[in-house]
Amino acid sequence: MPRPIHASISLAALSHNLDVVRRHLDQAARAAAGTAPSIWAVIKANAYGHGIETAVAGFSAAQGLAMLDLAEAVRCREAGWGGPILLLEGFFQPADLELIDRYHLSATVHTREQLDMLAHARPSRRVDIMLKLNTGMNRLGFSPDAYGSAHARALQLREQGCVGTIGKMTHFACADGAQGVAGQMQVFRHATRGLADGPVSVCNSAATLRYPEIAVAHGSQAHWVRPGICLYGASPFDDVAAASFGLRPVMSLRSQIIGVQDLPAGAEVGYGATFRAPRPMRVGVVACGYADGYPRHAGTGTPVMVGGVRTRLVGRVSMDMLMVDLDPVPAAGIGMPVSLWGHDGPSVDEVAQAAGTIGYELLCALAPRVPVRREP
Ligand SMILES: *Cc1c(COP(=O)(O)O)cnc(C)c1O
């Protein structure tokens, strides 16, 4: 028998979360007397660890899908996705444009070199592009000074027949925090003012949830949002739980107790003896370790559910196992179900916080050795 650990992925939660975002945007559109934006569901990094094919099935009601990896984009087409696919980093070499053409993908364009590659390509149909503006995050994008001429160059390429629609796009650095998006939006509006119409895309999950009004379209301008993490039922915010938006966790990481130790007061637990029993206590050994993707930085006190009862991790997480305090669960013994995060456990964000990271990292880091069960 394989180790008792597995991750289950709920298709119903994926489509539920997409629906939550959809309704949130509809409400903002009504309040602003405009049109709700379309949704590119972001499925980069193997759909944040949930599996590309599962995400394609769960997000069948999205208008588009967005990711970075060409091979993942091809898998979407092979899984039957016929709608728009946006490559968030565009293409890296001329040969990529052949796949973009063959699989009818849209591309973010953020460098002059990419415009050059487009100029030399002979695609069988026009490539739709999103021209990316760096509004202050200083990651990808043309500087505000260079944006106008990049846009003019893209218009030329459209006249030559290699480019289709030319959209405008940026990415926020602080939509989840106190700084917000106002400064970057001001740069965006200024640098894109007067440029020919085309789709606009600015919002990630945090901005979609917190500032949906900036994605509301007026007139003929098409808008798209790019939510990722919230669609998987985790929060983009440090201080607001995903559940407070009505989002449901999609991934549940579960295992079992495979050993029990009855400890006298003063006994030490695990590598480095970082935990010492303050009194006689029972400790359970769970088949889940950092080689499964559970964060080694999660220390004593990290929440864990054992047999439906909330308890805590004790000592250091090791490669294949971790230990938990069984005092709150006197009935616990070998084989008792353990929920590390998800539907019937603590939220992935709580575990991440205890480990000094974010839910994104834990979801993406689910190890390939953990069997995944897709649930309806
Ligand atoms: C990852 C990413 C997103 C989605 O971000 P979330 O915080 O997961 O919503 C949107 N846009 C770009 C360009 C990204 O790289």
Side-chain angles (χ1 to χ4, degrees), residues 42 44 48 88 132 139 171 204-205 226-229 360:
V42 178
K44 62 191 180 190
Y48 291 51
L88 292 166
K132 189 155 186 189
R139 199 173 63 173
H171 192 58
N204 55 4
S205 293
R226 310 185 306 270
I229 194 71
Y360 297 72

Side-chain angles (χ1 to χ4, degrees), residues 271-313:
Y271 284 122
T274 61
F275 179 79
R276 182 186 291 263
R279 55 182 180 275
M281 64 184 286
R282 287 173 81 229
V283 161
V285 182
V286 180
C288 176
Y290 60 78
D292 298 302
Y294 195 91
R296 184 177 173 278
H297 286 100
T300 294
T302 303
V304 182
M305 296 284 263
V306 177
V309 178
R310 200 175 162 101
T311 179
R312 59 176 180 148
L313 191 152

Side-chain angles (χ1 to χ4, degrees), residues 7 30 73 107 181 188 222 247 269 279 282 294 343 356:
R30 274 196 302 278
V181 301
F188 186 80
L247 299 165
V269 175
R279 55 182 180 275
R282 287 173 81 229
Y294 195 91
H343 171 63

Side-chain angles (χ1 to χ4, degrees), residues 185-326:
M185 275 309 286
Q186 198 178 350
V187 173
F188 186 80
R189 292 203 178 98
H190 188 258
T192 59
R193 187 167 298 145
L195 300 180
D197 259 7
V200 169
S201 179
V202 296
C203 290
N204 55 4
S205 293
T208 299
L209 292 172
R210 197 161 269 178
Y211 311 104
E213 65 283 356
I214 63 177
V216 172
H218 296 280
S220 62
Q221 185 88 75
H223 274 253
W224 289 76
V225 293
R226 310 185 306 270
I229 194 71
C230 64
L231 299 179
Y232 304 96
S235 179
F237 307 110
D238 279 348
D239 51 350
V240 191
S244 69
F245 297 99
L247 299 165
R248 289 194 208 137
V250 176
M251 181 193 293
S252 299
L253 181 62
R254 302 192 178 102
S255 187
Q256 289 179 10
I257 301 284
I258 60 165
V260 175
Q261 302 290 347
D262 281 297
L263 306 182
E268 296 161 337
V269 175
Y271 284 122
T274 61
F275 179 79
R276 182 186 291 263
R279 55 182 180 275
M281 64 184 286
R282 287 173 81 229
V283 161
V285 182
V286 180
C288 176
Y290 60 78
D292 298 302
Y294 195 91
R296 184 177 173 278
H297 286 100
T300 294
T302 303
V304 182
M305 296 284 263
V306 177
V309 178
R310 200 175 162 101
T311 179
R312 59 176 180 148
L313 191 152
V314 291
R316 261 189 208 157
V317 173
S318 48
M319 186 183 287
D320 310 300
M321 287 169 273
L322 54 82
M323 274 73 93
V324 294
D325 180 353
L326 292 184

